Amino acid sequence: MSKQRVATLWFAGSLVFALLSMLVPLPGVLQPFKPYWPALFLLYWALEAGDQRVSLGLAFCIGLCADLLDGLLLGEQAMRLCALVFIALRFRSRLRFFPMWQQTLAVLALLLNDRVVLLIVRTFAGESLPPATWWFSPFVGAALWPFLFLLMDDLRLRFRLQ
C-alpha cells in the first residue's frame, strides 16, 4: 500500500473515530464532561495539515454527519465546525508554533467560542438557557488537547506520514 493511501486512510479513519466517539453514551452525571470530539480532531488536522486536507467544505460535511448521527438540528454542528475550522486555519501559522500550554489556551478559547455559537443557535430555536454544567465540556476538551495532540502526532510520525 502506498504512503499516500495510508495517509488518506489515517486521516479519514481519525475523523470517523471522532464521529463514533461522539456517540459513546455516558451516564447523565458525566454527560456535561463529554468533549466535542469532532472539533478536537478537526482542530488537530487543521493545525497539522492546514488547508491541504482540511477545508470549510470538509468541516461542513463532518458537521452534517455529526448532526445526522446525533439527531440534532440539521446544520447546527456543520455551522459550528465551519466557524471553528475557519478560525483555526486563519491563525494556523501562529497556533502551530505556540508552546503547548498556549496552544491549549487557544483551543479552550475556540471551544468556548463554539459553545457561544451553540448557545445563540439554540436560543433562537426557542430552547431555554442550559445549566452551568453545560460549560464544562470545553474545559475537558482543552485538558485533553495536549494528550490528543501528542498521541496523534506520535502515531503520524510512526507511520511516517506527512
Side-chain angles (χ1 to χ4, degrees):
M1 196 177 323
S2 72
K3 237 181 195 188
Q4 181 63 28
R5 185 175 169 104
V6 171
T8 303
L9 286 174
W10 172 244
F11 174 72
S14 67
L15 294 178
V16 168
F17 176 78
L19 287 171
L20 294 177
S21 297
M22 185 181 70
L23 297 176
V24 173
L26 291 177
V29 177
L30 296 178
Q31 195 64 30
F33 298 99
K34 189 176 187 179
Y36 188 29
W37 292 112
L40 291 172
F41 278 87
L42 275 173
L43 274 174
Y44 171 78
W45 286 113
L47 293 180
E48 284 306 303
D51 52 5
Q52 295 171 354
R53 286 194 183 266
V54 178
S55 66
L56 294 180
L58 175 69
F60 188 80
C61 290
I62 295 292
L64 282 181
C65 290
D67 287 331
L68 292 172
L69 290 173
D70 230 3
L72 294 174
L73 180 66
L74 191 62
E76 176 185 287
Q77 293 187 60
M79 182 186 67
R80 291 167 49 203
L81 289 175
C82 280
L84 188 89
V85 166
F86 175 78
I87 296 168
L89 289 175
R90 173 69 175 89
F91 296 105
R92 176 181 181 260
S93 60
R94 293 180 190 148
L95 290 173
R96 283 188 70 206
F97 298 107
F98 279 178
M100 186 54 71
W101 70 272
Q102 284 181 332
Q103 200 176 76
T104 302
L105 289 177
V107 167
L108 175 62
L110 287 167
L111 293 174
L112 284 172
N113 180 62
D114 175 66
R115 278 294 164 154
V116 169
V117 169
L118 178 58
L119 181 66
I120 292 169
V121 168
R122 291 201 175 163
T123 302
F124 281 132
E127 292 185 20
S128 60
L129 290 176
T133 57
W134 188 72
W135 294 94
F136 288 167
S137 176
F139 291 96
V140 173
L144 291 174
W145 174 254
F147 302 106
L148 176 72
F149 184 87
L150 293 174
L151 175 70
M152 290 289 288
D153 228 28
D154 183 55
L155 291 172
R156 189 175 55 85
L157 291 174
R158 283 181 194 234
F159 293 141
R160 293 179 177 84
L161 302 175
Q162 295 299 324

